[in-house]
Amino acid sequence: MLTRNCLSLLLWILFDGGLLTPLQPQPQQTFTTEQENVIHLPGRQLHFQRVKRGWVWNQFFVLEEYMGSEPQYVGKLHSDLDKGEGTVKYTLSGDGAGTVFTIDETTGDIHAIRSLDREEKPFYTLRAQAVDIETRKPLEPESEFIIKVQDINDNEPRFLDGPYVASVPEMSPVGAYVLQVKATDADDPTYGNSARVVYSILQGQPYFSIDPKTGVIRTALPNMDREVKEQYQVLIQAKDMGGQLGGLAGTTIVNITLTDVNDNPPRFPKSIFHLKVPESSPIGSAIGRIRAVDPDFGQNAEIEYNIVPGDGGTLFEITTDEHTQEGIIKLKKPLDFETKKAYTFKVEASNLHLDDRFRSAGPFKDTATVRISVLDEDEPPVFSKPLYTMEVYEDTPVGTIIGAVTAQDLDVGSSAVRYLIDWRSDGDSYFTIDGTEGTIATNELLDRESNAQYNFSIIASKVSNPLLTSKVNILINVLDVNEFPPEISVPYETAVCENAKPGQIIQTVGAADRDLSPAGQQFSFRLSPEAAIKPNFTVRDFRNNTAGIETRRHGYSRRQQELYLLPVVIEDSSYPVQSSTSTMTIRVCRCDSDGSILSCNMEAIFLPVGLSTGALIAILLCIVILLAIVVLYVALRRQKKKDTLMTSKEDVRDNVIHYDDEGGGEEDTQAFDIGALRNPKAIEENKIRRDIKPDSLCLPRQRPPVEEKTDIRDFIHQRLQENDVDPAAPPYDSLATYAYEGNGSVADSLSSIDSLTTEADQDFDYLTDWGPRFKVLAEMFGEEESYNPDKVT
């Protein structure tokens, strides 16, 4: 009750003092203020009655979260027409009417019947009405007012985005920005301090600080080292009521990580590293690993290793393992225990990514000493040369030593060496090797013309350990011995013109030698001694391994001599000297004034283009065969055409008359061959009548009647006799064809010749009984019969 009275007094002071904005007065209606939250509904006045202006107060307040046992009083409605006689009834409608708020119909008192939450609904809009109880008519126009829920501090601040994750570089200065947090309060920020939040750190000091108003978190200590502590968990509190006693609070966690910076140089855990390496390690193999420690992280911990120039470092190289940041030492050159047993050098480790802020702290590098001890191993023998090259003359006797190979065991305890030829090579059958001395000798006679070079391998093994072997290649060149005489290279035949003059070069020849001629070898050309006596031709040596065939006469005659044989002697310049005599064939040909060949015999014509006598004979034989095939083909075509002329149905002559004839039917098994009537022999018998001219007036010829069942030959012979003796017969070049009809057809004859009946007396209905083959014929004659206009139905 005390709270309600204080609130009423405060509202009265505000309105009565003119602190609220007045609304425009309405005619006949006035809202005035009285004590304790009363809304006056002005009654009806006369139009000429002066109405006092009143302040309008149309808003009530009600506290949220009211926990009293009685309904909470809100305010009172009162009409100027209510005289207190109980004739006015007050009604309430709008938001929450009847469910949240109730009104006393007589007094107009408004109460809240349940607890309200401002965060759920901050205000309610209601409408009030004054009604006459008797007439049920409104005494006042409906009036609208608001009931506002007054806030209390019932919500604590909340961090909607928490928990937070943040990071800050290590070694950051004091006050470096880390993160800003924000808490929200659901209370009314416009009323009191219920929503005014203040931030503070409950856990995380003295490393971090927070601004009480903005919630910005900053570093509070200098030089925080990630390598000492990387993760921090800070507890932040947000408290309303400006942080005063009795305010509500909310908390959140901020996980802060210190990110790495390159503030630490790499360091070797020890100053010297010892490695042991077998002397047989292959080039490029990894022989050991060393590592420098860098407490930084990520790219700040990437290390580059280098061998410090100096004694022993030239045989090795070092690279960085990207995953482990270790230095991998690799072999660049082969090791030999017998030559050097240990190597010492220095390795430097440095950071790749430097931070300029920490350069003043010193060099970001470190060095260490690496000592490598070479381990002795049992090694195979070593040949004195990587390749042996030897020479031997062909036809060298079997067993001749042509060279030797040498291999040694370089280990401390030297062992004897055994030699053998690799069985997989091609030279093991032509050569042998002494297993102890390593001397190589021939095993067969060698022929340079068959194989001029041999390439095979020799294996050397230790007697103490035969499994340790080494191999070397042997290259043997077979030297040539002058054993073949030179010969004339093509051509062996040439031609000379009949009108050739003395001293004319008709052909240039060269020489070929199957031996491997040494550089600068010369071939000499000359005539044989027997041909040098009265020669028709001579040989001129050009001294450049070629020679020319030169004429010695003025003109040559094919009639006197067609061929000349010229023996040519050729010698080489090797030792021993080899020579040979080659015979050239010179053919005499007829040439024009320019020396071009016009005609020779057939062999002389084709030989210059590279055809031999055998090839020429083969070509002529093919031509003869082709001609015979053509003649035979033409003869066959003529014979075929002649037979076709005599047997074809389409035989064409001048004034040909052809008559079709019907066969004798099914019983006519002795049908005649009409081809016999067209035999040209019948025409040849009457050649004498070619010049007989028929008379201008042709008399009718009397023909004896043909007897029934007369043979066809007799019939034809009879007709021929009639034509032969008939002076009115047609000329010779007219062909008369005689037809003959057989007897015994089941269907009888279809011909109208010698028919006793006329066409009009014929009845063709029987054609329909002959089957489908005579269907068209039956339809044709049936139509003509039906179309006859003379026939009377």
Side-chain angles (χ1 to χ4, degrees):
M1 180 62 69
L2 179 61
T3 303
R4 185 179 62 180
N5 293 336
C6 293
L7 181 60
S8 301
L9 179 61
L10 176 63
L11 295 176
W12 180 83
I13 294 173
L14 291 175
F15 282 95
D16 189 65
L19 298 179
L20 297 179
T21 304
L23 299 177
Q24 295 294 335
Q26 298 180 0
Q28 301 179 358
Q29 293 185 11
T30 304
F31 290 86
T32 61
T33 62
E34 292 185 358
Q35 59 181 1
E36 294 189 348
N37 293 352
V38 179
I39 295 181
H40 288 270
L41 303 178
R44 297 178 181 175
Q45 304 292 337
L46 296 175
H47 294 285
F48 302 101
Q49 184 178 357
R50 180 179 179 86
V51 179
K52 182 180 178 181
R53 181 184 301 272
W55 297 104
V56 177
W57 177 39
N58 60 351
Q59 181 171 281
F60 290 119
F61 292 90
V62 60
L63 290 176
E64 69 170 335
E65 305 293 344
Y66 175 74
M67 303 300 294
S69 60
E70 298 294 333
Q72 183 180 183
Y73 179 76
V74 178
K76 184 181 183 62
L77 296 178
H78 183 72
S79 174
D80 293 342
L81 299 179
D82 187 0
K83 303 302 182 181
E85 298 175 353
T87 59
V88 179
K89 177 183 178 182
Y90 296 95
T91 61
L92 193 66
S93 63
D95 292 342
T99 58
V100 179
F101 302 100
T102 60
I103 188 171
D104 190 316
E105 296 180 351
T106 304
T107 63
D109 293 334
I110 302 174
H111 292 81
I113 60 176
R114 67 180 179 86
S115 178
L116 302 180
D117 188 0
R118 189 200 67 84
E119 288 72 37
E120 180 180 349
K121 190 174 180 61
F123 62 90
Y124 295 85
T125 303
L126 298 169
R127 292 182 299 278
Q129 180 74 56
V131 181
D132 189 294
I133 294 178
E134 295 179 357
T135 62
R136 303 292 183 179
K137 294 183 179 181
L139 298 177
E140 303 282 351
E142 190 176 53
S143 179
E144 184 177 270
F145 63 97
I146 296 174
I147 298 177
K148 187 173 182 180
V149 181
Q150 191 172 4
D151 182 54
I152 64 173
N153 189 19
D154 59 342
N155 291 281
E156 73 277 4
R158 296 180 181 273
F159 293 93
L160 301 180
D161 298 330
Y164 296 87
V165 177
S167 63
V168 63
E170 64 174 333
M171 297 299 182
S172 296
V174 175
Y177 176 85
V178 178
L179 179 69
Q180 183 179 13
V181 297
K182 183 176 179 61
T184 59
D185 196 322
D187 292 328
D188 188 359
T190 63
Y191 180 76
N193 295 326
S194 299
R196 188 162 69 90
V197 179
V198 175
Y199 301 95
S200 62
I201 293 181
L202 300 182
Q203 177 184 330
Q205 294 174 338
Y207 305 104
F208 301 95
S209 64
I210 188 169
D211 190 298
K213 295 182 180 180
T214 62
V216 174
I217 302 174
R218 299 181 184 274
T219 58
L221 286 180
N223 300 326
M224 287 191 294
D225 194 356
R226 184 196 68 85
E227 288 73 32
V228 176
K229 186 177 182 179
E230 183 179 6
Q231 298 288 338
Y232 294 86
Q233 192 175 73
V234 181
L235 182 61
I236 304 296
Q237 174 184 269
K239 190 174 184 180
D240 59 10
M241 297 300 292
Q244 298 177 3
L245 186 63
L248 302 178
T251 60
T252 187
I253 294 176
V254 180
N255 294 313
I256 301 176
T257 303
L258 294 183
T259 58
D260 185 63
V261 296
N262 192 9
D263 59 338
N264 295 284
R267 292 286 184 263
F268 284 106
K270 54 185 179 180
S271 60
I272 186 168
F273 292 87
H274 292 276
L275 300 176
K276 295 182 180 181
V277 182
E279 63 175 336
S280 60
S281 298
I283 296 176
S285 61
I287 61 176
R289 289 172 175 256
I290 61 175
R291 182 179 182 182
V293 179
D294 191 334
D296 292 327
F297 178 76
Q299 68 174 11
N300 297 322
E302 293 181 2
I303 302 175
E304 181 182 16
Y305 297 91
N306 293 288
I307 295 177
V308 179
D311 184 30
T314 57
L315 273 70
F316 307 94
E317 64 178 356
I318 188 168
T319 59
T320 302
D321 189 328
E322 296 180 356
H323 302 286
T324 63
Q325 296 301 314
E326 292 179 319
I328 305 173
I329 300 176
K330 297 182 179 180
L331 191 62
K332 290 175 58 179
K333 297 180 180 179
L335 301 176
D336 187 9
F337 175 81
E338 289 72 24
T339 303
K340 193 172 183 178
K341 298 178 176 57
Y343 297 88
T344 303
F345 54 90
K346 290 185 177 182
V347 175
E348 181 182 79
S350 59
N351 281 138
L352 288 176
H353 307 282
L354 298 180
D355 194 331
D356 295 334
R357 295 177 299 173
F358 305 102
R359 285 184 182 272
S360 60
F364 278 73
K365 63 177 63 176
D366 194 15
T367 58
T369 301
V370 178
R371 180 176 178 82
I372 297 178
S373 299
V374 181
L375 302 179
D376 185 28
E377 288 189 350
D378 196 7
E379 298 176 302
V382 178
F383 283 96
S384 60
K385 295 180 180 180
L387 174 67
Y388 289 88
T389 302
M390 303 176 184
E391 294 181 348
V392 60
Y393 281 98
E394 61 178 335
D395 297 334
T396 298
V398 176
T400 302
I401 296 176
I402 60 176
V405 297
T406 303
Q408 296 180 350
D409 181 14
L410 301 180
D411 292 331
V412 177
S414 180
S415 172
V417 178
R418 289 289 181 266
Y419 303 95
L420 59 92
I421 296 177
D422 188 3
W423 62 270
R424 290 171 294 183
S425 61
D426 296 334
D428 55 351
S429 61
Y430 294 94
F431 304 94
T432 60
I433 187 170
D434 189 291
T436 303
E437 301 296 332
T439 56
I440 300 174
T442 59
N443 194 35
E444 295 182 9
L445 288 177
L446 304 178
D447 184 10
R448 191 204 64 81
E449 287 71 31
S450 299
N451 195 352
Q453 191 178 73
Y454 294 89
N455 190 351
F456 56 95
S457 299
I458 291 180
I459 298 175
S461 62
K462 297 174 65 172
V463 175
S464 60
N465 189 358
L467 297 178
L468 294 176
T469 61
S470 58
K471 185 184 295 186
V472 69
N473 288 332
I474 308 297
L475 184 65
I476 298 179
N477 296 317
V478 181
L479 302 180
D480 184 53
V481 175
N482 193 21
E483 55 183 339
F484 294 100
E487 298 176 353
I488 290 180
S489 58
V490 292
Y492 285 94
E493 299 181 1
T494 185
V496 63
C497 295
E498 289 182 315
N499 55 357
K501 298 178 180 180
Q504 182 177 349
I505 301 299
I506 62 173
Q507 183 67 51
T508 300
V509 296
D513 194 340
R514 286 187 292 169
D515 293 319
L516 180 62
S517 301
Q521 176 172 308
Q522 294 291 328
F523 297 103
S524 61
F525 302 84
R526 69 175 186 275
L527 282 179
S528 63
E530 63 274 9
I533 303 172
K534 295 182 180 182
N536 294 304
F537 302 91
T538 187
V539 178
R540 181 190 298 180
D541 193 347
F542 295 140
R543 305 296 181 183
N544 60 356
N545 291 340
T546 61
I549 307 302
E550 182 180 358
T551 59
R552 299 294 302 274
R553 291 176 49 184
H554 190 286
Y556 297 86
S557 175
R558 285 189 297 173
R559 295 181 181 179
Q560 295 179 359
Q561 186 173 350
E562 183 180 359
L563 297 176
Y564 291 90
L565 301 179
L566 183 66
V568 180
V569 178
I570 307 175
E571 292 183 354
D572 58 18
S573 59
S574 299
Y575 180 84
V577 176
Q578 298 288 344
S579 64
S580 66
T581 301
S582 301
T583 302
M584 291 193 63
T585 301
I586 302 174
R587 188 178 300 277
V588 181
C589 298
R590 185 170 63 86
C591 305
D592 58 9
S593 59
D594 297 333
S596 300
I597 296 176
L598 297 178
S599 64
C600 287
N601 55 26
M602 187 171 295
E603 185 178 1
I605 293 175
F606 287 95
L607 283 179
V609 298
L611 293 177
S612 63
T613 304
L616 181 61
I617 295 174
I619 292 173
L620 294 177
L621 182 61
C622 291
I623 294 174
V624 172
I625 293 173
L626 289 175
L627 291 176
I629 293 173
V630 170
V631 172
L632 181 61
Y633 177 73
V634 172
L636 291 175
R637 286 294 299 268
R638 289 184 177 179
Q639 181 66 29
K640 184 176 180 181
K641 185 180 293 184
K642 194 171 184 180
D643 293 343
T644 303
L645 179 64
M646 294 299 106
T647 61
S648 176
K649 187 176 180 180
E650 300 295 332
D651 188 13
V652 179
R653 295 289 180 90
D654 293 342
N655 298 328
V656 176
I657 301 174
H658 182 76
Y659 299 95
D660 289 331
D661 188 51
E662 182 182 356
E666 297 178 358
E667 297 180 359
D668 186 10
T669 59
Q670 301 295 331
F672 62 92
D673 185 6
I674 196 65
L677 301 179
R678 297 174 182 159
N679 195 331
K681 294 182 179 180
I683 302 175
E684 294 294 335
E685 296 176 358
N686 208 13
K687 284 185 179 180
I688 193 169
R689 297 182 55 83
R690 177 179 294 274
D691 56 344
I692 297 177
K693 297 181 180 180
D695 296 337
S696 57
L697 297 176
C698 297
L699 299 177
R701 292 176 287 179
Q702 298 294 330
R703 297 180 180 178
V706 180
E707 298 180 4
E708 190 175 358
K709 298 183 181 179
T710 303
D711 187 82
I712 185 62
R713 293 186 179 181
D714 297 337
F715 170 76
I716 293 173
H717 182 70
Q718 180 180 352
R719 291 291 186 253
L720 287 175
Q721 292 296 329
E722 291 177 1
N723 279 277
D724 290 341
V725 298
D726 187 7
Y732 170 73
D733 55 357
S734 295
L735 179 63
T737 302
Y738 302 98
Y740 182 79
E741 182 178 1
N743 297 324
S745 175
V746 176
D748 295 332
S749 176
L750 297 179
S751 175
S752 61
I753 301 175
D754 298 331
S755 178
L756 300 178
T757 61
T758 61
E759 182 177 357
D761 299 332
Q762 291 291 329
D763 185 5
F764 299 101
D765 293 338
Y766 58 87
L767 294 177
T768 58
D769 300 332
W770 289 2
R773 296 186 179 182
F774 295 90
K775 181 179 180 181
V776 177
L777 188 62
E779 291 177 356
M780 292 173 57
F781 281 92
E783 290 177 0
E784 292 180 0
E785 181 180 359
S786 61
Y787 182 72
N788 190 356
D790 298 332
K791 186 175 180 179
V792 179
T793 305

